């Protein structure tokens, strides 16, 4: 089964759910041991189970995709029942990531581009950027009337500017995205509340890490370290943490 290389935002959510699915097997055992042999034994068993689950989560790097036939059937059902911008965005993402149909995904998103939905625009720009078309992605975002007020669109715009080596401009966009996200959060993407909460944490961490990358390129190392730290404290899995070592100068 083919593996998909997920972005950190999505990978982090997958890894957390993997951690919870492992931990849930240890909880009943800990309760039983605590009831049978005492609280200390039960608590010790829980700590061991927690550490094992955490270790396995850290080393989990990829997740298999569902069967293509199953995905296709689900996609067909959803798209016939719901043609909202949210459904179109999901459908296009599945076309691109699971079926490697970049052209079809782009054509479908461009068809709904005139809705000016931020999620549709962000998905289209992100795919264009992945396909090595940053100028086209930049134009798509600038043509959307909501891009200055939507944190997700601004996040993608920051990625576009980074790929174009416009570091100072990217920093301003990332900071604006963070400010807007603090006020209104990231746009709803159809996930349940808990998943939406986890995605908000991971997107915020990505913004801080991206700011750290920009400051590192500009050799502003204190600012880079600050944003790497702000991103890291939002990520439970330390294997996804980012660090930077500023070059040290030695006296002559």
């Amino acid at each position: 089964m083919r593996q998909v290389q997920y972005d950190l935002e999505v990978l982090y959510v997958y890894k957390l759910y993997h951690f919870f699915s492992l931990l849930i097997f240890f909880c009943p055992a800990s309760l039983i041991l605590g009831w049978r042999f005492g609280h200390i034994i039960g608590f010790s068993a829980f700590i061991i189970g927690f550490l094992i689950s955490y270790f396995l989560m850290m080393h989990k790097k990829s997740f298999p995709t569902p069967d293509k036939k199953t995905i296709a059937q689900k996609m067909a059902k959803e798209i016939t029942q719901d043609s909202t911008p949210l459904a179109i965005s999901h459908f296009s993402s599945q076309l691109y990531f699971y079926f490697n149909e970049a052209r079809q995904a782009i054509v479908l998103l461009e068809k709904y581009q005139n809705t000016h939905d931020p999620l549709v625009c962000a998905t289209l720009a992100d795919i264009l950027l992945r396909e090595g078309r940053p100028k086209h992605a930049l134009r798509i975002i600038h043509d959307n009337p909501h891009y200055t007020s939507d944190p997700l669109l601004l996040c993608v715009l920051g990625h576009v500017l980074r790929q174009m080596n416009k570091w100072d401009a990217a920093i301003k966009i990332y900071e604006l995205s963070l400010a807007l996200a603090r006020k209104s959060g990231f746009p709803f993407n159809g996930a349940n509340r808990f998943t939406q909460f986890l995605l908000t944490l991971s997107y915020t961490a990505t913004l801080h890490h991206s700011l750290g990358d920009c400051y590192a390129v500009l050799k502003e190392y204190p600012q880079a370290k600050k944003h790497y730290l702000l991103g890291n404290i939002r990520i439970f899995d330390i294997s996804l943490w980012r660090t930077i070592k500023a070059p040290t100068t030695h006296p002559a």
Side-chain angles (χ1 to χ4, degrees):
M1 188 175 291
R2 187 177 65 88
Q3 303 287 330
V4 174
Q5 188 66 35
Y6 295 105
D7 289 336
L8 181 142
E9 299 90 354
V10 178
L11 178 63
Y12 179 48
V13 175
Y14 272 111
K15 285 167 75 73
L16 275 179
Y17 274 113
H18 182 65
F19 168 77
F20 293 138
S21 67
L22 293 171
L23 187 62
I24 200 171
F25 286 104
F26 290 98
C27 289
S30 301
L31 291 173
I32 293 172
L33 288 172
W35 169 73
R36 183 67 178 81
F37 299 105
H39 297 307
I40 295 178
I41 298 297
F43 183 72
S44 299
F46 175 78
I47 293 299
I48 292 172
F50 182 93
L51 293 175
I52 292 173
S53 300
Y54 189 85
F55 177 82
L56 292 174
M57 175 193 68
M58 284 178 54
H59 289 79
K60 185 72 172 176
K61 301 299 183 182
S62 60
F63 297 86
T65 64
D67 179 69
K68 283 190 174 183
K69 183 178 179 180
T70 303
I71 297 177
Q73 290 174 345
K74 185 178 180 181
M75 288 167 56
K77 182 179 179 181
E78 289 180 352
I79 205 68
T80 54
Q81 295 178 349
D82 186 4
S83 60
T84 62
L86 179 61
I88 297 301
S89 178
H90 285 174
F91 185 79
S92 302
S93 295
Q94 291 169 333
L95 279 175
Y96 184 76
F97 289 104
Y98 294 158
F99 293 91
N100 294 318
E101 295 288 350
R103 187 183 65 82
Q104 291 186 28
I106 291 172
V107 169
L108 179 61
L109 288 165
E110 287 179 336
K111 181 179 178 181
Y112 286 85
Q113 184 184 347
N114 59 0
T115 64
H116 300 306
D117 181 80
L119 188 58
V120 169
C121 181
T123 304
L124 175 57
D126 181 60
I127 291 176
L128 289 170
L129 183 62
R130 293 171 187 273
E131 291 297 299
R133 300 163 63 183
K135 291 183 179 179
H136 190 180
L138 184 66
R139 185 170 69 251
I140 292 295
I141 296 175
H142 282 165
D143 287 345
N144 190 293
H146 307 294
Y147 88 90
T148 57
S149 59
D150 184 87
L152 183 58
L153 268 176
L154 289 170
C155 180
V156 178
L157 175 58
H159 297 338
V160 172
L161 293 172
R162 277 181 61 192
Q163 187 162 318
M164 300 174 71
N165 297 324
K166 298 182 178 181
W167 308 105
D168 290 314
I171 287 173
K172 293 179 181 178
I173 293 299
Y174 284 138
E175 289 178 342
L176 178 57
S177 179
L178 277 173
L180 290 172
R182 293 190 193 102
K183 293 181 180 178
S184 56
F186 288 93
F188 178 67
N189 67 348
N192 60 60
R193 289 187 178 182
F194 184 62
T195 301
Q196 184 76 21
F197 169 73
L198 295 179
L199 284 170
T200 297
L201 281 179
S202 57
Y203 269 112
T204 304
T206 293
L207 284 168
H208 280 296
H209 285 168
S210 298
L211 278 166
D213 292 338
C214 292
Y215 281 118
V217 170
L218 296 175
K219 298 183 179 180
E220 298 183 26
Y221 298 113
Q223 284 282 48
K225 288 183 177 180
K226 169 189 170 184
H227 283 287
Y228 283 139
L229 176 61
L230 289 172
N232 291 343
I233 62 176
R234 290 170 168 83
I235 298 179
F236 179 60
D237 184 352
I238 63 173
S239 69
L240 300 178
W241 283 13
R242 300 283 301 279
T243 59
I244 182 175
K245 292 183 179 180
T248 55
T249 56
H250 301 280

